[in-house]
Each structure stands twice: as structure tokens, then as C-alpha cells.
Amino acid sequence: MKKLLQVSLQVKILGLVVGLLLLVLTLVTFMVTYMESGEDVQNAEDLALQTATTLSYMPVVQDAFKEKVKDENVKHIADRIRDQIDASAIKIIDREGQLVGYSGQEKPESIDQQDYYSTLTFGGSFVLQPEEDEDVLKAVVPIRVDYDTYMKVEGAVAVEFKMKDIYAEIRADLKDFIFASSSVLILGVIGSILLARSIRKDTLGLEPFQIAALFRERNAVLDSVKEGLIAFDQSEKITMINASARELLDLKDNAEARTLNDVITSPKLREMIESNKGVKNKELQYKEKTLIINSNPILEGGVRTGIVVSVRDKTEIKQMVDALSEVKQYSEDLRAQAHEFTSKLYVIMGLIQLEKYQDAIELIKEEADSQKQVTERFFKEIVDEKVQAILLGKFAKASEKKIDFYIEDGSSLQRLPAHIPLSPLIIILGNIINNAFEGVAGQKEKTVSFFVTDLGHDIIFEVTDNGTGIRQSDMEKVFAKGYSSKGTGRGYGLANVKEEVDHLHGSIEINSIVKEGTTITIILPKEITDTKGVS
């Protein structure tokens, strides 16, 4: 059944048109045949009756019956009239049933007076319908002769038509009608083929079932895409919208077929959508959401016939960037740690090759004691595993860069509350420690300290370096995106830190003295009464 339905559009249209035409033409042919046959028979009856009546009143016929003689003119008149009306026979008889005049192919030997009895006796005119064993339609009319003082029925006129001749005319008319119907059918077939080809051209050669399959696939793809997609036509009516767009723009399910002004309340968003040039990666604050808008107009001959708009939630993009940042931070820290240990292993291997066994043992003990002290301090004073992992990586990086990185006495930290996940923690601590490392890069003595405490209602992180410091005039710019004194393509670290701190309802403070150093303090609350917007 499914294969039968998957026939070409041309076959469907051709089958429908031919079927309808055949049905209509068959019904019309039947009705025309029925009506034509009845009408032709009725016309033959009327013609026979009128002809017989006319003959009965002709002077030649009247005179022949008055004088009681046979007149050859009667036969000539009958022959002429029979040829004109194409009758099969014309009979003129007297009261005794004798033929006075006859016109026809075969002259009958005798006359059946029963057909003329009513006419000769009562003077009535009538039409005899053909019997089952006969094929003749006959009209009989009396001949009334005027004798001045009275009128008398002296004979009768009979005009006959053979039914096969009437039916032959009907068949001839029917053939003409069938020819015309066949022409209409052929034109319908040609028209249906041309229509199917025109439709296929408009549908890029695709059949209806293929278009339906593509439509279902399109809907499935659109609903599976996380990015919101909306399409508008030339009159700014929505022709397509996926579930993500409804969710991001807070639109109802019946948004399709509605206009732009009906569904979009933001004037700025409407301006972006109506732009003939389109927009690319424009940031928009829409109903407490930060969205990234892209629009691309559909042009045909330089005229805009529609527009496609994509909407993305900046939060998702930010999460992706944060995830990449985490991977980058981990890879850098692991690389630094691996490089540091590889360097020390090469030194130990060199001492062993030089048979400096005691020096090698001392170096191993020194490294082991150093790692033990760091590890003991971590596990004793800083309990949270996320902060431990970040700091261990930074210790390896500091060792590689010959930076004295240490944890200040008095530092203590239990497990962080659930509303402070690893991702923002990496961005906050990773960036401020990396900035401190970069700040001391040009110093002879490179020192960076880390302090943390969770006493009270807040968690306080503090990173101090002895770098070049920040000028007071630049203090307000350090959190701006793209601002950096280290070159182009930089200046996003502290901006991201500020964004994450604000997201966690915390605060950030910077104290800096030029040529002496900088201290950055991060304060994060342990509890947040309004958790809206917290990761």
C-alpha cells in the first residue's frame, strides 16, 4: 500500500484527471444519448404528423378524392415530400383501403386497414408506435373533403419512418459527440502532464512523498538543534520556528503564522530582524537573558523575500569557553609539572652517571621533603580538593618559572559550598595567580603568596605578588574586556574573573603600589539567599 502511494505526481494528476474526465464524459454521453434518442423520436413523430396533415389538405389530394379518380400528381407530390423529410414511405388510401397514392421503396401488396380504422371511422389523427415485431413509426391523418354543405372523411394519409433510420441519425450524432469528448480527454491528458511538469519544476523535481519526507526530517533536525531558529516571510510572518527559539524568546506554541510585532516585544530585537543587511553575533539583553543574535536576509533579485534569524544563549557559549579554559589550564599546569619533574630527573640521572651518589640522594630527599611539606599543608590546612588541584598545578608552574610561590601561614579552608563549582573556581583562582606570575616575571626576586580563610560568613582568597604594580589611573580599566598592558589579544582574564565573582554574588578588591606589588582579594559568600542565576 505504501509503494502504491509513492507514485509520481504526474501519474497521480494524470490518473485523477483521466478518471474524472472519463466519469463525466460517460455520464454526459449516457444522458445525451438518452435525451437525443427521445428527442429524435419525438421530432420524427411531430414531423410525420405535420407532413400527413399538410398532405391531407393539399388541393391535389382533395380534388382526387372529390372526383373519385386516381391522379398521378398525387404520387409526384408524395415522392417530393418523402424526399424532403427523408421518410421511408407515404401512403394515401381511400375509405375502402385502396391506395390512391404511394411513395416508397417497396409498394405493399395489401393495406392493413386496422391501422386506419379509427381515422376513417372517427376522423382522428394519431401516431402509431412501432410494435415488437415492427420497426416503423407511423402517423395517420384523415382526409376531410369539403362538399360545401358538409364535410366527409374520404380517406387517410400515413407518413412512415423506419426506426433504424432514426437510430442511425442518433448514432451519427453520438459519434460526433464521442469525437468531441475524446478531444477533450486528450487535451485533459496533455494539460495534466504539463501541470505535473510545472509543479515538479516548482518543487525542484521532488515528488510529494519526497517533499513530505524532507519536511519531517527538517522538523526533526530543527527540534534537535539547541540553537534557536526563526524564519520570516516577506510580510514578516513567522513561517518556521523550532523549540529552542520558543524557549529562548518565551514564545507560545501558536507563534507560527503570526507577525513579528505580535511575538517580539523588544524594539532592539525587531530592529535587528528587520535589518536588510543582517546582523552577526550581536549581543542582546532580552527578558533577563543575554542572547547572541545572527540574522541573514533572503534576497531574490535584490528584493528581500524573507529572513532567517538564529538565537543562542550566551550562557551556553560561556560554559563552552569555560570548559575550554579548564582544559587549557589543566594542560598548562600538567605540562609545567611534567617539565619540572623531567628536569629534576635529568639532574639526578646526571649525578648518578658522574657517580655523585650522595648529591643525587640529597636532591631526592630535598624534593621529597618539599613535596611532603606542600602536600601536608594542603591536606591539613586546605581540605577542599578543587582548590588543592588548582594550587598543585600552580606550584609546578611556579617551580618551572623560578617563582617562589607559597601558602601563607594561617590559611585554612574546609570544603566549599555546593554553589561554588569547579569551573568558576578555575577561572577565578587560575587567572589571578597567573596574573601574579606574569607581574613578577621581570623581578630579580619573584615572590607570590596565596592566602585563604573561610572563617565567618565569607570565603576569602588573597593573592599577593611583588611585581611592578598597577597605576592608579589604570585601576578602573583592569576589569574591562580587551584591556591589557601586555599586548593585543589579551585583557580577558580579570574581566572573566569579575564576571564569575559577580555571578557568585561576591566582590573583588585590588590594592596595588607601583614598583612594590599587588594584592587581589576575592570575597565569596558561603550562603546565598537568592540563588537566581547561580551555576
Side-chain angles (χ1 to χ4, degrees):
M1 184 65 181
K2 186 176 180 180
K3 291 184 178 179
L4 291 176
L5 293 175
Q6 291 184 350
V7 296
S8 67
L9 180 64
Q10 181 170 312
V11 173
K12 287 182 178 179
I13 294 178
L14 188 61
L16 177 62
V17 171
V18 171
L20 288 175
L21 284 176
L22 285 175
L23 177 62
V24 171
L25 293 177
T26 301
L27 291 175
V28 171
T29 302
F30 175 77
M31 293 176 64
V32 168
T33 303
Y34 177 79
M35 295 172 64
E36 185 75 15
S37 61
E39 185 178 352
D40 285 357
V41 171
Q42 184 64 45
N43 290 338
E45 291 178 357
D46 295 340
L47 181 60
L49 194 60
Q50 291 173 4
T51 304
T53 303
T54 302
L55 273 170
S56 69
Y57 286 103
M58 280 188 171
V60 175
V61 176
Q62 290 283 323
D63 292 341
F65 276 90
K66 276 184 181 182
E67 297 174 0
K68 306 293 184 180
V69 293
K70 291 185 178 181
D71 191 345
E72 286 297 324
N73 291 330
V74 174
K75 185 178 183 308
H76 293 320
I77 290 294
D79 288 337
R80 289 173 56 187
I81 292 176
R82 187 180 71 85
D83 291 337
Q84 290 177 358
I85 65 173
D86 200 20
S88 62
I90 296 178
K91 300 173 182 177
I92 302 174
I93 64 173
D94 57 15
R95 291 186 64 83
E96 285 75 26
Q98 299 299 317
L99 283 173
V100 176
Y102 177 78
S103 176
Q105 293 179 351
E106 296 180 1
K107 187 174 181 179
E109 296 179 356
S110 61
I111 300 297
D112 187 2
Q113 294 186 3
Q114 186 177 357
D115 293 343
Y116 304 92
Y117 176 77
S118 298
T119 301
L120 294 173
T121 304
F122 303 106
S125 301
F126 60 91
V127 177
L128 292 175
Q129 296 292 338
E131 301 291 339
E132 293 182 358
D133 57 343
E134 295 182 359
D135 189 26
V136 177
L137 184 147
K138 183 186 300 183
V140 182
V141 175
I143 300 174
R144 294 182 177 89
V145 179
D146 188 0
Y147 293 102
D148 295 331
T149 57
Y150 66 94
M151 293 186 70
K152 183 180 178 181
V153 176
E154 295 289 356
V157 178
V159 179
E160 298 179 356
F161 286 96
K162 287 185 178 180
M163 293 301 297
K164 64 179 182 180
D165 294 335
I166 297 174
Y167 291 145
E169 292 183 5
I170 294 173
R171 285 193 294 271
D173 293 340
L174 185 59
K175 286 181 181 178
D176 293 338
F177 183 79
I178 291 175
F179 176 77
S181 300
S182 300
S183 301
V184 172
L185 181 61
I186 292 172
L187 290 175
V189 171
I190 296 173
S192 64
I193 293 174
L194 294 176
L195 176 62
R197 289 181 178 178
S198 176
I199 294 174
R200 287 199 63 183
K201 184 179 179 181
D202 293 337
T203 58
L204 304 178
L206 296 175
E207 297 294 343
F209 63 90
Q210 294 174 322
I211 296 174
L214 288 175
F215 184 77
R216 289 191 292 269
E217 290 174 6
R218 186 206 71 158
N219 288 341
V221 170
L222 289 176
D223 288 336
S224 64
V225 172
K226 291 293 292 179
E227 186 173 8
L229 296 173
I230 315 175
F232 296 89
D233 62 11
Q234 191 172 9
S235 58
E236 295 186 346
K237 286 186 178 180
I238 296 177
T239 57
M240 182 277 299
I241 182 170
N242 66 351
S244 298
R246 288 192 181 95
E247 182 180 354
L248 289 172
L249 299 177
D250 296 330
L251 301 180
K252 297 180 180 179
D253 293 337
N254 60 350
E256 290 189 12
R258 298 179 65 187
T259 61
L260 172 65
N261 292 330
D262 291 338
V263 297
I264 305 298
T265 58
S266 171
K268 191 172 182 180
L269 179 55
R270 286 202 298 266
E271 183 181 346
M272 290 181 181
I273 295 174
E274 292 172 347
S275 173
N276 289 326
K277 296 182 180 179
V279 297
K280 186 175 181 181
N281 294 328
K282 291 290 185 180
E283 191 171 313
L284 174 69
Q285 194 69 27
Y286 183 83
K287 293 184 178 179
E288 301 180 355
K289 296 178 183 177
T290 303
L291 305 178
I292 304 297
I293 308 297
N294 285 276
S295 67
N296 185 31
I298 303 171
L299 301 176
E300 290 185 8
V303 179
R304 194 179 87 160
T305 59
I307 191 167
V308 178
V309 181
S310 67
V311 184
R312 288 177 292 173
D313 191 349
K314 186 182 176 182
T315 304
E316 295 182 357
I317 300 175
K318 183 176 175 298
Q319 289 174 349
M320 181 179 65
V321 172
D322 292 347
L324 293 174
S325 178
E326 291 176 26
V327 174
K328 184 179 179 182
Q329 290 284 347
Y330 275 129
S331 64
E332 287 182 357
D333 293 344
L334 288 174
R335 182 195 60 78
Q337 192 172 12
H339 183 270
E340 178 67 16
F341 277 102
T342 300
S343 299
K344 292 179 179 179
L345 286 174
Y346 278 128
V347 172
I348 293 172
M349 184 177 66
L351 291 174
I352 292 174
Q353 288 176 346
L354 294 173
E355 297 182 356
K356 301 290 184 178
Y357 301 118
Q358 189 61 38
D359 293 339
I361 293 171
E362 291 295 331
L363 180 58
I364 293 171
K365 285 183 177 181
E366 180 182 343
E367 184 63 24
D369 291 340
S370 174
Q371 292 296 322
K372 183 178 180 181
Q373 291 176 4
V374 171
T375 304
E376 285 180 353
R377 171 166 286 189
F378 278 176
F379 285 101
K380 182 178 179 181
E381 299 173 356
I382 300 176
V383 179
D384 188 83
E385 294 88 349
K386 297 189 288 291
V387 178
Q388 289 177 357
I390 293 170
L391 292 179
L392 282 172
K394 297 306 176 186
F395 268 106
K397 191 171 184 178
S399 178
E400 180 189 25
K401 293 180 177 293
K402 306 303 180 185
I403 297 173
D404 182 15
F405 180 50
Y406 63 94
I407 298 175
E408 294 186 13
D409 293 334
S411 296
S412 65
L413 178 66
Q414 298 300 313
R415 292 185 183 278
L416 292 174
H419 71 270
I420 305 178
L422 177 61
S423 178
L425 203 61
I426 291 175
I427 294 173
I428 295 171
L429 297 182
N431 277 294
I432 60 175
I433 293 174
N434 285 344
N435 278 358
F437 287 171
E438 291 180 1
V440 300
Q443 303 297 319
K444 291 182 179 180
E445 294 184 4
K446 306 177 181 65
T447 303
V448 176
S449 65
F450 177 82
F451 175 80
V452 60
T453 180
D454 57 357
L455 298 177
H457 300 291
D458 299 316
I459 300 166
I460 300 173
F461 297 101
E462 192 173 88
V463 176
T464 302
D465 65 72
N466 66 338
T468 56
I470 304 172
R471 291 176 297 183
Q472 193 66 32
S473 59
D474 296 335
M475 195 67 73
E476 296 180 358
K477 302 177 183 178
V478 294
F479 295 119
K481 285 186 179 181
Y483 172 78
S484 175
S485 59
K486 304 179 181 67
T488 59
R490 306 289 300 273
Y492 292 93
L494 288 179
N496 291 335
V497 170
K498 181 69 166 61
E499 188 174 342
E500 292 296 341
V501 170
D502 291 341
H503 190 65
L504 295 174
H505 293 212
S507 61
I508 182 170
E509 297 177 1
I510 298 180
N511 294 313
S512 182
I513 300 175
V514 178
K515 296 182 180 181
E516 291 189 14
T518 303
T519 299
I520 299 179
T521 304
I522 306 293
I523 302 172
L524 301 177
K526 291 182 179 179
E527 294 182 2
I528 300 177
T529 54
D530 179 15
T531 58
K532 185 177 181 180
V534 177
S535 300

